[in-house]
Amino acid sequence: MSAPSTAAMNGHWGRWAGYGAILAAALIVPLVFPAFQTQMAFLWLMIVFALTWDVMGGQMGYNSFGNILFLGVGMYVCAVVQVGLHVDVAAYNASMGASALDLTMGQYLTGLGLGLAAGAVAAVACAVVLGAGVLLLLIAVIVIAVAVGLCNWLGLPPVLGVAAGLGAAVFMALRVPALRAHGLLSLRGHYFAIGTLGLGIAAGEVASGWQFIGAGSGMVTPLYPGELGGREQFFNAAAFVLAVATFFALRRLYAGRFGLAVNAIRDDEQKAEAMGLPTTRYKTVAWSVAAVFMGIAGGLVGNIVGFIDPRDVAFAGATYGVWMVLMAILGGKGTIWGPVLGAAVFHITQELFWTYLLGWQRVALGLLIVLIVVFFPQGLLGWVRARWPERFGHRVDSRAAEEAEG
Amino acid sequence: MSALLDVRAVGKAFGGVVANRGISVQVEEGEIVGLIGPNGSGKTTLFNSIVGHHPIDEGEIYFDNGRIDKLGVPEIARLGLLRTFQQTRIYGGMTCVQNMLISAPQQGLGVAAMLAPHTRAEEERAGELLDFVGLYEKRHLIAGDLSFGQQKLLEFSMALMNGPRLLLLDEPTAGINPTLINGLMDRLQRANAEFGITLLVIEHNMRVIMNLAQRIYCLAHGELLAEGAPSEIREDRRVIDAYLGAT
């Protein structure tokens, strides 16, 4: 009786100590080291990257290399909304943002809020379509094209054609279940990983060829209207709020049906199907959950960096795209604290290497990764869990055992 | 009123190997029916055909008067027709309680419900059923760390959690300690009597199946060899020659 409750108590205290330390860091660092605010903001964003990657990669066992897509989509959509509320986006980008927007604080915040929301919605739409309905998307595009063509021929406004085409596509989606199951999420294991690998690269190519969003020369985000230094403080706070919201939202989801369903899919997807679990729906929801937070994170990254390069900032598969996987594995995938820990260790060591080992920073980073993989293949937290399973609640209920004996 | 499960002249071949040929099996609501036969006689193939694991080549399968042989595995499972696996399959990385909770029926859940916590009733039911199979004190252990026999019991209780109308059990006593077999048989009978679950059981242990089943089908070389009460099957010349051997 006493042993489990002591362990639970320790876990309780440990958890609150962890929250306290993070909150203290979030509050103190900006005050004591104002120069590190952007680094801090990126730390919170890295935590979001690792946590959202872990929804699929860790908890569900689907290694996605395509989550960077949601970051880029969120980034561009947010910036387009922020600009488009005030001026013509194409003209703004054609002049490389030289027709600088002179916004009031109210206008800026409204634009940012709407932009972040739109980015999240767009990212979720990408997740659903790519995950569950690539075939459906193709059919919808063809139907809409035909309908618009017909409207032109009949002399009707093309909007009517788009509406009719969309209606027909939705109707088909609802009536023909076979169409719904043809997306990336019907791929399993390594096939899914490879299937998603091209997403970020393809999106980067599309973005760097699309004049409307600045093509290869990128897009400048609107200037923050507040006082000097206020921008860093504002976005550091925004990134912290996003990381906290992501953490608690995921923790709540993992504690319920969703968490168990994605774990079941990870452990044995065929068994889950044999038990009647709607696996495709859970997988689509899981990718959408990752997409929501990645989309919002994208909007923030675009505004923190201030300039959206299609390949190096938005669809940066070689940096953020790889790091999110590394950080989750480093900390221990399939746990809630693992990605947080992994992101913190990764980001801090990376910053230290860049400062003190300049020229050798990537070698040092590579060595660190090798060491972690060799000595902690389950990640830092995975190692802790294997050492002390009872601290994670995996123990024989001795009270029940005694009652059974007695 | 026709049978709960009605398998009509089902055939299935893998390339040139005919695994099932013209097999007809009927299981009435509330029955315990046995399926026996030598290794490779097509018992598991028949199970796979019934639950929609692979398409059948010929014949028809009806469950509760609805045709199911064109449906997929999850749809058939949601109708209330479940199976357990010969190579026991549980969710090895999760605790026993979690294995149970996610086995609760998921029919008609909207996205909001998919994201919601479990209900109190589901948690209580999970505890009751773990108690029923004798795994209650191990409920917080990782299921993959349990012994093989305990994993079989867990898989069985997961199936009960889903509340099926018909449960197909593929060798429930294989690999189980002989002293535990009586307990398992008792639980199978209670699941049938108390929870009203119809059972179709593949079994090699003759003592178990002769005591458990009310009717037995015997397969050999992919064809139905005999059907009847346990006493008839035991005396059947063809069954003895093909499977039981002279005693």
Side-chain angles (χ1 to χ4, degrees):
Chain A
M1 176 69 199
S2 66
S5 64
T6 315
M9 207 82 125
N10 287 343
H12 214 65
W13 282 114
R15 189 175 306 141
W16 283 108
Y19 292 156
I22 289 170
L23 191 64
L27 292 175
I28 292 167
V29 170
L31 295 175
V32 182
F33 307 105
F36 285 115
Q37 299 225 52
T38 303
Q39 276 91 335
M40 283 298 282
F42 265 100
L43 170 61
W44 307 129
L45 290 167
M46 291 290 173
I47 290 174
V48 175
F49 293 174
L51 276 171
T52 52
W53 184 83
D54 195 58
V55 177
M56 296 282 286
Q59 300 282 353
M60 204 171 90
Y62 270 63
N63 293 313
S64 165
F65 292 106
N67 285 14
I68 191 71
L69 177 79
F70 307 136
L71 186 81
V73 166
M75 203 180 293
Y76 271 116
V77 169
C78 180
V80 165
V81 168
Q82 281 179 284
V83 171
L85 282 175
H86 305 289
V87 292
D88 180 60
V89 178
Y92 172 89
N93 281 324
S95 63
M96 299 276 293
S99 56
L101 293 170
D102 197 14
L103 303 175
T104 65
M105 198 58 167
Q107 283 175 321
Y108 181 81
L109 292 179
T110 313
L112 183 65
L114 288 174
L116 292 175
V121 171
V124 170
C126 285
V128 171
V129 168
L130 289 169
V134 174
L135 191 65
L136 198 63
L137 176 73
L138 282 176
I139 292 172
V141 167
I142 293 168
V143 170
I144 290 170
V146 170
V148 169
L150 264 177
C151 281
N152 278 338
W153 188 59
L154 293 171
L156 296 167
V159 181
L160 222 60
V162 174
L166 267 178
V170 169
F171 179 77
M172 280 194 293
L174 293 175
R175 296 311 299 264
V176 190
L179 287 179
R180 276 182 258 146
H182 288 87
L184 285 168
L185 287 170
S186 55
L187 301 173
R188 288 188 190 176
H190 304 308
Y191 298 100
F192 177 78
I194 291 166
T196 54
L197 195 56
L199 286 180
I201 301 168
E205 291 304 312
V206 170
S208 55
W210 192 3
Q211 287 300 335
F212 177 70
I213 53 170
S217 39
M219 182 168 176
V220 182
T221 50
L223 286 175
Y224 180 79
E227 65 204 62
L228 206 66
R231 174 172 168 272
E232 285 75 14
Q233 216 163 11
F234 173 76
F235 281 107
N236 182 14
F240 178 66
V241 169
L242 176 64
V244 170
T246 308
F247 179 87
F248 284 104
L250 292 183
R251 209 181 65 148
R252 184 172 161 73
L253 287 179
Y254 290 157
R257 279 202 188 93
F258 174 83
L260 297 189
V262 294
N263 283 169
I265 290 168
R266 173 197 64 196
D267 285 352
D268 191 339
E269 188 169 347
Q270 263 196 320
K271 172 74 180 176
E273 281 181 355
M275 295 298 288
L277 211 64
T279 50
T280 309
R281 279 172 62 187
Y282 272 115
K283 287 190 283 187
T284 312
V285 170
W287 220 15
S288 305
V289 167
V292 170
F293 297 110
M294 279 305 275
I296 299 172
L300 292 181
V301 170
N303 280 288
I304 291 171
V305 178
F307 170 71
I308 305 176
D309 182 276
R311 293 194 192 86
D312 291 339
V313 181
F315 301 105
T319 52
Y320 303 148
V322 175
W323 292 350
M324 63 177 84
V325 184
L326 271 178
M327 293 184 294
I329 292 173
L330 175 72
K333 62 178 187 173
T335 60
I336 184 87
W337 277 106
V340 178
L341 191 65
V345 170
F346 180 85
H347 189 62
I348 292 167
T349 48
Q350 191 201 15
E351 291 291 332
L352 290 176
F353 289 162
W354 251 253
T355 310
Y356 297 109
L357 294 171
L358 195 64
W360 291 87
Q361 75 273 34
R362 292 202 185 263
V363 177
L365 198 60
L367 270 178
L368 176 76
I369 292 163
V370 171
L371 286 177
I372 294 281
V373 172
V374 170
F375 292 105
F376 304 98
Q378 297 299 312
L380 298 172
L381 214 63
W383 179 77
V384 173
R385 181 160 66 174
R387 279 295 298 273
W388 297 284
E390 64 282 356
R391 292 296 295 272
F392 290 78
H394 305 315
R395 58 182 181 268
V396 174
D397 187 341
S398 50
R399 193 166 38 141
E402 278 162 23
E403 275 168 16
E405 280 166 22
Chain B
M1 176 73 192
S2 59
L4 180 62
L5 177 71
D6 191 358
V7 177
R8 295 184 193 165
V10 162
K12 175 71 189 172
F14 298 101
V17 181
V18 180
N20 284 159
R21 183 187 291 135
I23 294 185
S24 294
V25 168
Q26 278 82 39
V27 180
E28 300 288 343
E29 180 118 45
E31 268 191 312
I32 301 180
V33 176
L35 186 61
I36 63 171
N39 290 324
S41 62
K43 304 183 296 295
T44 298
T45 301
L46 184 63
F47 265 27
N48 285 335
S49 299
I50 293 171
V51 299
H53 183 70
H54 49 50
I56 54 174
D57 298 338
E58 53 195 42
E60 291 160 11
I61 303 172
Y62 293 84
F63 177 65
D64 195 22
N65 298 315
R67 190 160 174 185
I68 59 167
D69 53 89
K70 296 282 193 289
L71 300 181
V73 173
E75 288 101 309
I76 293 176
R78 276 175 238 142
L79 289 175
L81 199 172
L82 278 196
R83 65 94 58 91
T84 65
F85 290 88
Q86 194 173 357
Q87 308 85 2
T88 305
R89 290 172 88 158
I90 42 112
Y91 307 122
M94 300 160 67
T95 66
C96 296
V97 162
Q98 291 175 328
N99 269 274
M100 294 298 288
L101 286 174
I102 199 56
S103 300
Q106 301 261 337
Q107 278 86 332
L109 281 190
V111 172
M114 287 164 73
L115 299 177
H118 292 277
T119 62
R120 192 101 202 105
E122 283 173 336
E123 281 168 14
E124 277 165 19
R125 183 75 182 141
E128 281 166 24
L129 286 170
L130 281 172
D131 192 38
F132 177 71
V133 296
L135 286 175
Y136 187 74
E137 59 267 35
K138 308 215 170 182
R139 67 191 187 280
H140 293 305
L141 291 183
I142 296 286
D145 294 342
L146 296 179
S147 75
F148 181 76
Q150 288 168 338
Q151 290 187 9
K152 280 208 108 116
L153 289 169
L154 178 63
E155 192 188 28
F156 174 56
S157 60
M158 285 160 70
L160 296 182
M161 184 77 187
N162 203 273
R165 296 183 62 191
L166 172 62
L167 182 56
L168 311 187
L169 295 158
D170 202 342
E171 298 198 35
T173 68
I176 288 203
N177 180 337
T179 57
L180 289 178
I181 286 182
N182 287 337
L184 181 66
M185 272 177 67
D186 173 54
R187 292 193 178 97
L188 291 176
Q189 275 162 337
R190 281 174 59 193
N192 177 254
E194 292 171 23
F195 306 146
I197 299 171
T198 308
L199 300 176
L200 175 60
V201 189
I202 293 179
E203 188 51 70
H204 278 300
N205 186 325
M206 283 307 119
R207 184 179 67 82
V208 169
I209 200 68
M210 294 295 170
N211 286 314
L212 192 64
Q214 290 134 20
R215 280 190 308 123
I216 291 176
Y217 287 92
C218 180
L219 300 186
H221 304 295
E223 293 181 39
L224 196 61
L225 194 65
E227 186 235 323
S231 52
E232 296 164 15
I233 290 290
R234 206 171 340 196
E235 305 302 325
D236 193 301
R237 194 68 243 164
R238 295 163 305 172
V239 177
I240 292 169
D241 286 344
Y243 183 43
L244 298 179
T247 47

